[in-house]
Amino acid sequence: MKVYKFGGASVKDAEGVRNVERIVRLALNDQMANDQMVNGLMVVVSAMGKTTNALERVVAFLDAGKEEEALAQWVDIIDFHVAIMKSLGLQPGSDIRLQGEIPYDPKRSYDENYDQIVSLGEIMSTQIVAVYLLKQGLSVEWWNMPKLLRTDDTWREAKVDSAVSSAVIRAGWDRPRRPQIVVAQGFIGGTADGRRTTLGREGSDYTAALLGNYLDAESVTIWKDVPGILNADPRIEPNTVLIPSLRYMDAVELANSGAQVMHPKTIRPLENKHVPLLVKPFGDPTAEGSRIADDGVGPIGVPVYIWRKNQILITMRAKDFAFVLEESLSEIFDIIHRHRLKVSLIQSSAVTISVCVDNTRFVSEAIQELRTHFNVTYNENLSLLTIRGTTPEILEQAKAGKTIMLSQTTRRTARLVVVEQK
Ligand code: ASP
Ligand code: MG
């Protein structure tokens, strides 16, 4: 069996959903042509277009007591889906019942409300895709991942219980007379007591990887709006090249340095079971794209530029100047870990330690706590540029015209903390 994952950009309109049908049919034809028993296709889908961002705004409005704004945003989201359904020939209300009320409960925490509301993006997108494929005569089943992918209740970053989930999911997949195509939500799961959870933004890739792992997939394909894994972001760098083959290790590094091409948690479940990961353009389904596997070719051969935006550089200095690196490190990382900060770079000197982290909503509380132990200063509005496969010339070029706060270089990799231009 294979796992296909379609991100928000690939299902941002009716044409996108029709294209999913096209790609799915190619896969089924392939399986038949190869005379394999048609052993099925797991189709993982994200929320349509920018729906997740829009749902996040609904939560924020409700939390701020702005009910009218929340409702207006909600109606926009529903209208957007209804328009797509209609242009696909689906009847809202009879083919698909949409959520009537916003599942908001002021007694619950912000993060718990977030998960109950934001998860609806994937519920709606998968219902539309599943019903559409069914109406085109395909053999389809819709899976409700909150009931199948078991997580804890770390709202917005739920941890998956793979022992429970893999047993449930395998049993669901391995039954006789299962339809050929299963359509499932990426990014969402559920607690043992039936509340929906989310796995962290952009988490659909991770879901696809988990399913590939549980079901021992032949491969997992991520369908994207780019030709595959490129050596730089085409929105920033006009002359990009495609990297046709990578090792898992390279892919982990790319993802962790902030490459938007896949979620950092995607690789491990695949590597564990030796499942190849393919990244392909949804606009050209027979193109080769990129392939990440045990036998991937490394090193990559061209310099790779990865930008990680919205960074903050926090510098700690001991209050009494008696800086004991080992002791302070464990204290600092304990605080960082408890406040769920994501560290992108670390630098130490005799009397200071600096960490570059994603500038999330958790940062200010972490800084407050760090201040009880250290003198803390910080710089915001930074980006981290990682260049893999660098040379001194490439590095010089990259630095030109930028304000660099900090740089770390090894023989092949350079990391620059750069002030973002206004
Ligand atoms: N829809 C979710 C998000 O935008 C998950 C995903 O796209 O992977 O973050
Ligand atoms: Mg998305």
Side-chain angles (χ1 to χ4, degrees):
M1 61 85 59
K2 288 183 180 174
V3 179
Y4 277 7
K5 182 257 168 174
F6 294 94
S10 54
V11 289
K12 67 177 195 312
D13 51 23
E15 187 42 44
V17 178
R18 290 193 195 98
N19 192 44
V20 170
E21 182 203 351
R22 221 167 288 142
I23 292 177
V24 161
R25 284 193 189 275
L26 283 175
L28 296 180
N29 290 344
D30 241 24
Q31 288 185 350
M32 290 212 286
N34 290 332
D35 218 30
Q36 302 164 359
M37 217 176 42
V38 174
N39 46 12
L41 191 64
M42 172 66 81
V43 177
V44 177
V45 185
S46 303
M48 295 178 145
K50 302 256 177 266
T51 300
T52 304
N53 292 347
L55 287 164
E56 283 188 338
R57 287 195 290 275
V58 171
V59 184
F61 280 138
L62 286 170
D63 184 68
K66 298 182 176 167
E67 280 174 29
E68 260 172 54
E69 286 91 334
L71 200 60
Q73 179 64 254
W74 174 257
V75 169
D76 274 355
I77 296 168
I78 299 293
D79 287 351
F80 169 68
H81 287 85
V82 165
I84 293 178
M85 281 186 234
K86 286 191 175 153
S87 54
L88 291 169
L90 307 178
Q91 288 313 315
S94 58
D95 286 332
I96 294 166
R97 270 199 25 233
L98 288 160
Q99 176 90 20
E101 271 174 29
I102 312 174
Y104 179 78
D105 178 350
K107 293 189 291 298
R108 292 190 301 225
S109 71
Y110 187 96
D111 289 352
E112 184 179 351
N113 274 313
Y114 177 104
D115 277 5
Q116 308 322 304
I117 294 171
V118 169
S119 54
L120 294 173
E122 269 71 10
I123 300 282
M124 290 189 280
S125 68
T126 51
Q127 284 180 324
I128 293 174
V129 170
V131 173
Y132 177 73
L133 294 178
L134 195 67
K135 292 223 158 186
Q136 305 315 303
L138 292 163
S139 151
V140 187
E141 180 167 271
W142 179 81
W143 279 14
N144 184 23
M145 294 303 269
K147 293 249 160 18
L148 303 171
L149 191 74
R150 172 70 60 79
T151 72
D152 68 4
D153 62 359
T154 314
W155 309 114
R156 300 179 69 170
E157 261 177 75
K159 303 286 168 298
V160 175
D161 181 339
S162 275
V164 172
S165 309
S166 68
V168 174
I169 284 168
R170 288 191 81 110
W173 183 264
D174 287 336
R175 23 182 258 284
R177 289 188 300 280
R178 167 188 42 77
Q180 283 174 353
I181 301 165
V182 169
V183 177
Q185 306 86 44
F187 173 60
I188 71 175
T191 58
D193 62 4
R195 286 172 294 170
R196 289 189 295 271
T197 54
T198 64
L199 310 181
R201 286 302 307 264
E202 309 304 327
S204 293
D205 297 344
Y206 178 46
T207 303
L210 289 173
L211 291 169
N213 173 299
Y214 300 161
L215 299 173
D216 293 294
E218 212 176 293
S219 60
V220 171
T221 306
I222 300 182
W223 294 95
K224 290 197 69 89
D225 55 357
V226 286
I229 298 178
L230 303 173
N231 75 322
D233 184 337
R235 287 165 301 187
I236 300 174
E237 175 61 54
N239 301 310
T240 56
V241 288
L242 176 74
I243 306 168
S245 171
L246 291 92
R247 299 165 301 178
Y248 290 113
M249 199 175 76
D250 306 318
V252 169
E253 259 200 69
L254 281 186
N256 281 331
S257 3
Q260 293 291 318
V261 68
M262 75 205 112
H263 191 279
K265 284 203 284 201
T266 313
I267 303 300
R268 176 113 49 94
L270 298 175
E271 185 176 21
N272 285 345
K273 289 270 189 97
H274 311 284
V275 178
L277 175 66
L278 313 176
V279 180
K280 292 191 183 218
F282 59 70
D284 184 8
T286 56
E288 285 297 314
S290 302
R291 183 171 183 278
I292 301 159
D294 284 322
D295 58 359
V297 182
I300 289 170
V302 290
V304 180
Y305 298 81
I306 305 138
W307 284 95
R308 186 154 160 163
K309 293 243 153 81
N310 195 24
Q311 301 292 297
I312 174 168
L313 183 68
I314 307 173
T315 299
M316 285 136 295
R317 184 184 293 272
K319 287 190 163 160
D320 53 7
F321 289 98
F323 206 76
V324 184
L325 188 61
E326 292 74 17
E327 282 173 20
S328 309
L329 272 181
S330 62
E331 225 173 334
I332 290 169
F333 283 97
D334 176 56
I335 295 170
I336 284 179
H337 179 71
R338 275 191 284 107
H339 289 276
R340 303 211 227 165
L341 303 192
K342 301 250 185 331
V343 178
S344 51
L345 175 143
I346 304 164
Q347 175 122 325
S348 69
S349 75
V351 290
T352 65
I353 294 178
S354 299
V355 292
C356 198
V357 300
D358 292 347
N359 200 356
T360 60
R361 68 207 158 94
F362 303 119
V363 164
S364 60
E365 276 185 19
I367 289 181
Q368 258 177 35
E369 189 172 344
L370 288 165
R371 285 210 157 118
T372 62
H373 304 269
F374 306 96
N375 291 318
V376 180
T377 52
Y378 59 87
N379 287 281
E380 293 181 277
N381 304 320
L382 304 173
S383 287
L384 175 66
L385 171 61
T386 302
I387 311 173
R388 300 197 55 216
T390 189
T391 63
E393 298 77 54
I394 288 171
L395 186 56
E396 276 323 302
Q397 261 179 31
K399 282 182 169 173
K402 298 188 178 76
T403 312
I404 314 280
M405 295 285 300
L406 191 161
S407 82
Q408 271 183 4
T409 51
T410 62
R411 237 169 357 124
R412 306 238 341 128
T413 304
R415 318 192 71 201
L416 306 175
V417 179
V418 180
V419 177
E420 276 173 12
Q421 264 141 26
K422 292 274 146 55

